[in-house]
């Protein structure tokens, strides 16, 4: 066990120092009779298969963690099928900063004051950017069936909550632009602006709101009896996915409900802000009749593979026989996958992924980053680490794009039987990037996927 650990430690350290541009020649400075035998394998057999990715953990109630950015919209094409991304939203009453108690809106205690409008503000994640080119989205907003959402359990991206039949939205579409626009008028506290979309509630909702008793704003539970939450759902093909920023580390969330009403003292316009307590993705993917659907049914397909982000598709890579690498120390191992094309699918509209990574199934059956990535952590922590992992797109001398993820440390553990000999190619960040890529498999007639392993023989 100690010997294996030393092999892994030195393999990781040496590969990182060299940034994996050249194989490590372990033993090259020894006397001729003591020199280690170096070798390289480029014909190691492996197979590829398209499989569905796991759903995303959208809310971890134990650690109170949720996804910061969700995408919204509907995409349909012949390669990746239909993707329909909606969002569940649960509001909460605002708290006073000083004592943490509920801040009741002034209109709740004055029956003569009528709320003029209610608007849901959804900030845009301009760093992630639109996936696609169309920026107009048709939608509807529904209530969550009057049932209070249980926030003491985990939620996943494929969970479905009960929704009402009646729509809450006043309008049927919005157009998203990356520039900052006014959240509320300059007549109210000088105004405020940020890149966002706004969902206005309809007159029926306003009528019901203005008729609710004052006790509706006594507690979250009472408020949820009136409005337990909303479901924002795309109603037509948008051709794009819009990233909505609910929360970013170190920032105060700007996703809120605004209740506009005349001030009770001088009738000047003012508002009450209700923050959101929970937001959950509803990522529905239907691959029927698509290339992806065909490959999911076929199983092993060494001609072509697919990957897709946000709980989309993985490429399963299996090494059926690693006996040729027994009694060796792996110096370097890397896979190469060239980007493929299918007529009608446009990478200009839907760009390829900016980073891919390799995963494996741990003892609990969960997808986990391979050992190389576990030992080095965040691939964006330094250029050397990113180069070591090798998951960013590269271009050969003829302009062909390829990915070359490295698997040096993990390959050693596969050879030693410590981990399974099956790994998975995945778009990362898994929760943020919805991009899709068509890849050439190991049996492709042109630019096939390959594996190259350099090693030191211990015999």
């Amino acid at each position: 066990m100690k010997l294996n650990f030393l092999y892994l430690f030195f393999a990781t350290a040496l590969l990182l120092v060299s940034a994996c541009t050249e194989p490590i020649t372990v033993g090259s400075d020894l006397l001729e009779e003591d020199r280690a035998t170096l070798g390289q394998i480029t014909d190691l057999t492996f197979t590829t298969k398209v499989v569905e990715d796991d759903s995303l953990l959208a809310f971890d109630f134990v650690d109170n963690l949720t996804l910061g950015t969700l995408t919204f919209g509907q995409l349909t094409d012949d390669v990746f099928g239909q993707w329909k991304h909606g969002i569940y939203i649960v509001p909460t009453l605002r708290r006073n900063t000083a004592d943490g108690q509920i801040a009741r809106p002034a209109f709740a205690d004055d029956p003569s004051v009528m709320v003029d409008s209610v608007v849901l503000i959804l900030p845009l994640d301009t760093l992630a950017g639109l996936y696609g080119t169309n920026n107009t989205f048709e939608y509807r907003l529904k209530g969550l069936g009057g049932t209070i959402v249980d926030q003491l359990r985990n939620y996943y991206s494929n969970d479905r909550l009960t929704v009402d039949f009646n729509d809450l939205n006043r309008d049927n579409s919005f157009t998203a632009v990356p520039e900052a626009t006014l959240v509320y008028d300059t007549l109210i506290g000088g105004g405020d602006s940020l890149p966002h979309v706004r969902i206005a509630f309809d007159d029926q909702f306003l009528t019901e709101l203005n008729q609710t008793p004052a006790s509706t704003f006594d507690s979250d539970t009472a408020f949820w009896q009136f409005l337990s939450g909303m479901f924002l759902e795309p109603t037509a093909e948008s051709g794009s996915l819009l990233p909505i920023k609910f929360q970013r580390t170190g920032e105060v969330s700007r996703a809120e409900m605004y209740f506009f009403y005349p001030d009770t003292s001088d009738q000047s316009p003012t508002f009450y802000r209700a923050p959101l307590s929970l937001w959950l993705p509803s990522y529905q993917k239907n691959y029927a009749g698509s290339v992806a659907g065909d490959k999911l049914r076929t199983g092993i397909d060494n001609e072509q593979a697919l990957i897709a982000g946000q709980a989309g598709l993985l490429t399963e890579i299996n090494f059926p026989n690693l006996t040729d690498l027994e009694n060796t120390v792996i110096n370097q191992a890397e896979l190469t996958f060239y980007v493929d094309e299918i007529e009608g699918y446009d990478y200009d509209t839907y760009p390829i992924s900016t980073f891919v990574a390799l995963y494996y199934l741990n003892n609990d059956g969960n997808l986990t980053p391979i050992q190389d990535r576990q030992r080095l952590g965040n691939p964006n922590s330094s250029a050397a680490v990113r180069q070591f992992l090798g998951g960013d797109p590269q271009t050969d001398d003829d302009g062909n794009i390829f990915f070359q993820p490295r698997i040096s440390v993990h390959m050693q553990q596969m050879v030693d039987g410590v981990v399974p000999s099956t790994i998975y190619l995945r778009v990362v960040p898994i929760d943020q990037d919805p991009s899709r890529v068509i890849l050439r498999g190991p049996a492709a007639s042109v630019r096939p996927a390959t594996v190259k392993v350099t090693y030191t023989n211990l015999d």
Side-chain angles (χ1 to χ4, degrees):
M1 180 63 70
K2 289 183 178 179
L3 187 59
N4 282 339
F5 172 79
L6 289 174
Y7 289 157
L8 293 172
F9 174 80
F10 285 116
T12 304
L14 290 170
L15 286 169
L16 182 57
V17 168
S18 69
C20 285
T21 55
E22 296 293 340
I24 305 302
T25 53
V26 175
S28 60
D29 57 346
L30 300 177
L31 295 176
E32 188 62 36
E33 62 270 20
D34 296 325
R35 190 181 301 276
T37 303
L38 304 180
Q40 178 173 281
I41 292 179
T42 58
D43 58 354
L44 197 63
T45 299
F46 67 98
T47 62
T48 55
K49 179 171 69 171
V50 177
V51 297
E52 291 191 62
D53 199 351
D54 289 347
S55 59
L56 299 171
L57 177 60
F59 176 64
D60 183 340
F61 86 94
V62 174
D63 295 322
N64 193 30
L65 296 176
T66 188
L67 302 180
T69 294
L70 307 181
T71 56
F72 174 80
Q74 181 173 312
L75 297 179
T76 306
D77 62 72
D78 293 336
V79 178
F80 292 96
Q82 183 185 79
W83 291 23
K84 192 173 184 179
H85 286 198
I87 303 173
Y88 298 106
I89 298 167
V90 179
T92 185
L93 296 176
R94 186 162 52 87
R95 265 58 177 177
N96 292 317
T97 304
D99 57 13
Q101 297 299 307
I102 288 176
R104 292 175 59 82
F107 63 79
D109 299 312
D110 188 340
S112 67
V113 177
M114 298 288 106
V115 175
D116 297 324
S117 64
V118 177
V119 179
L120 176 63
I121 300 296
L122 299 177
L124 304 182
D125 191 335
T126 54
L127 293 180
L130 189 70
Y131 190 67
T133 56
N134 177 60
N135 65 341
T136 297
F137 297 81
E138 296 182 39
Y139 70 93
R140 61 173 162 247
L141 188 71
K142 291 183 174 291
L144 292 187
T147 302
I148 295 178
V149 177
D150 181 4
Q151 299 190 42
L152 297 179
R153 52 155 286 194
N154 290 346
Y155 286 94
Y156 294 84
S157 58
N158 60 349
D159 284 337
R160 297 192 184 184
L161 306 183
T162 302
V163 298
D164 285 333
F165 292 106
N166 297 326
D167 294 347
L168 301 175
N169 48 292
R170 184 191 69 191
D171 306 314
N172 298 316
S173 68
F174 61 73
T175 299
V177 295
E179 294 78 23
T181 54
L182 284 173
V183 175
Y184 51 85
D185 196 273
T186 55
L187 295 175
I188 309 175
D192 187 18
S193 62
L194 76 158
H196 73 282
V197 295
R198 48 201 304 121
I199 310 295
F201 287 69
D202 65 9
D203 290 341
Q204 179 63 34
F205 178 83
L206 292 176
T207 299
E208 294 175 3
L209 173 65
N210 286 320
Q211 293 175 350
T212 58
S215 59
T216 299
F217 297 91
D218 287 348
S219 66
D220 283 330
T221 301
F223 182 64
W224 289 332
Q225 294 291 345
F226 169 68
L227 180 65
S228 59
M230 300 85 74
F231 179 49
L232 182 63
E233 178 186 18
T235 57
E237 178 72 14
S238 59
S240 298
L241 293 177
L242 179 70
I244 298 176
K245 183 178 68 175
F246 287 90
Q247 183 70 65
R248 179 168 288 145
T249 303
E251 295 182 4
V252 176
S253 176
R254 300 294 306 277
E256 298 172 299
M257 285 183 69
Y258 278 71
F259 297 74
F260 294 95
Y261 63 97
D263 190 275
T264 55
S265 60
D266 61 7
Q267 299 299 298
S268 61
T270 188
F271 59 80
Y272 173 83
R273 288 198 307 261
L276 307 181
S277 65
L278 187 64
W279 47 90
L280 302 169
S282 172
Y283 291 165
Q284 302 174 32
K285 296 179 170 66
N286 184 352
Y287 300 110
S290 68
V291 173
D294 292 341
K295 293 185 182 300
L296 288 170
R297 287 194 306 273
T298 301
I300 293 176
D301 182 346
N302 292 327
E303 295 284 343
Q304 193 176 67
L306 306 172
I307 54 175
Q310 288 192 322
L313 300 170
L314 309 173
T315 289
E316 179 182 288
I317 305 163
N318 182 56
F319 294 90
N321 188 352
L322 295 173
T323 55
D324 287 347
L325 293 173
E326 292 177 354
N327 299 315
T328 65
V329 172
I330 304 300
N331 301 329
Q332 182 189 79
E334 63 187 20
L335 288 157
T336 300
F337 281 92
Y338 274 89
V339 173
D340 201 359
E341 295 182 358
I342 293 179
E343 185 177 357
Y345 190 80
D346 186 4
Y347 285 126
D348 290 332
T349 302
Y350 304 114
I352 65 171
S353 308
T354 58
F355 202 81
V356 300
L358 294 169
Y359 285 68
Y360 75 104
L361 290 175
N362 64 15
N363 292 333
D364 296 324
N366 297 320
L367 283 168
T368 305
I370 63 169
Q371 296 296 318
D372 304 62
R373 191 174 178 196
Q374 287 186 41
R375 292 166 188 270
L376 294 176
N378 183 1
N380 294 320
S381 60
S382 73
V385 169
R386 194 172 178 91
Q387 187 178 5
F388 171 79
L389 293 172
D392 52 336
Q394 303 177 53
T395 305
D396 66 15
D397 293 340
D398 296 322
N400 301 303
I401 301 172
F402 64 93
F403 295 94
Q404 199 167 65
R406 296 188 172 89
I407 187 179
S408 307
V409 177
H410 197 82
M411 177 67 78
Q412 183 72 67
Q413 293 204 333
M414 287 198 299
V415 172
D416 295 341
V418 177
V419 296
S421 58
T422 299
I423 53 177
Y424 299 86
L425 189 65
R426 201 179 196 188
V427 175
V428 292
I430 61 172
D431 61 315
Q432 298 175 34
D433 188 354
S435 62
R436 300 92 66 86
V437 191
I438 307 161
L439 300 168
R440 296 176 183 270
S445 59
V446 179
R447 296 186 295 279
T450 59
V451 61
K452 181 172 71 173
V453 182
T454 58
Y455 61 88
T456 299
N457 200 324
L458 296 179
D459 291 336

